[in-house]
Amino acid sequence: MPTLLTSDELDIRILFTEAASEVATFVREVIRERQPIGLSTNAAHDVYVVNLANVKQFALAEVARDDESLADDLLTVLTSLAELRDQAGGQA
């Protein structure tokens, strides 16, 4: 089941295709390494760079892809851990 990362400090939500346990492990890694993640919206070609180490509080929750809470006006960026890891490997 996909996992939604939300925070009042972010202008976007991040919807990971993986389960919460996998996302939590990834989030711990990027916080420990203080490594920002880049997220792009294919439709608008906007790129968001998020450093989760600087976010004081966020929540991870497994949600259905058709969850009605995703239908509001807040931008939700869909990504996968594989995509983010490939991106990080390409920057090294």
Side-chain angles (χ1 to χ4, degrees):
M1 183 171 283
T3 301
L4 185 65
L5 184 148
T6 58
S7 173
D8 290 341
E9 299 173 58
L10 300 175
D11 293 333
I12 63 170
R13 294 181 290 212
I14 306 168
L15 183 61
F16 293 90
T17 57
E18 294 82 8
S21 60
E22 295 175 67
V23 174
T25 299
F26 174 78
V27 167
R28 281 193 290 273
E29 290 171 13
V30 297
I31 289 173
R32 183 180 62 246
E33 297 171 12
R34 301 193 62 78
Q35 179 180 21
I37 56 175
L39 304 158
S40 66
T41 61
N42 292 334
H45 303 289
D46 293 331
V47 176
Y48 295 87
V49 178
V50 178
N51 190 338
L52 294 174
N54 294 336
V55 176
K56 293 177 186 168
Q57 182 176 357
F58 56 85
L60 293 173
E62 289 188 344
V63 296
R65 287 185 189 265
D66 60 351
D67 190 297
E68 290 183 15
S69 68
L70 299 175
D72 62 14
D73 290 335
L74 189 60
L75 179 65
T76 302
V77 179
L78 176 65
T79 193
S80 70
L81 297 180
E83 179 181 348
L84 294 175
R85 287 183 174 127
D86 283 349
Q87 182 186 92
Q91 294 175 357

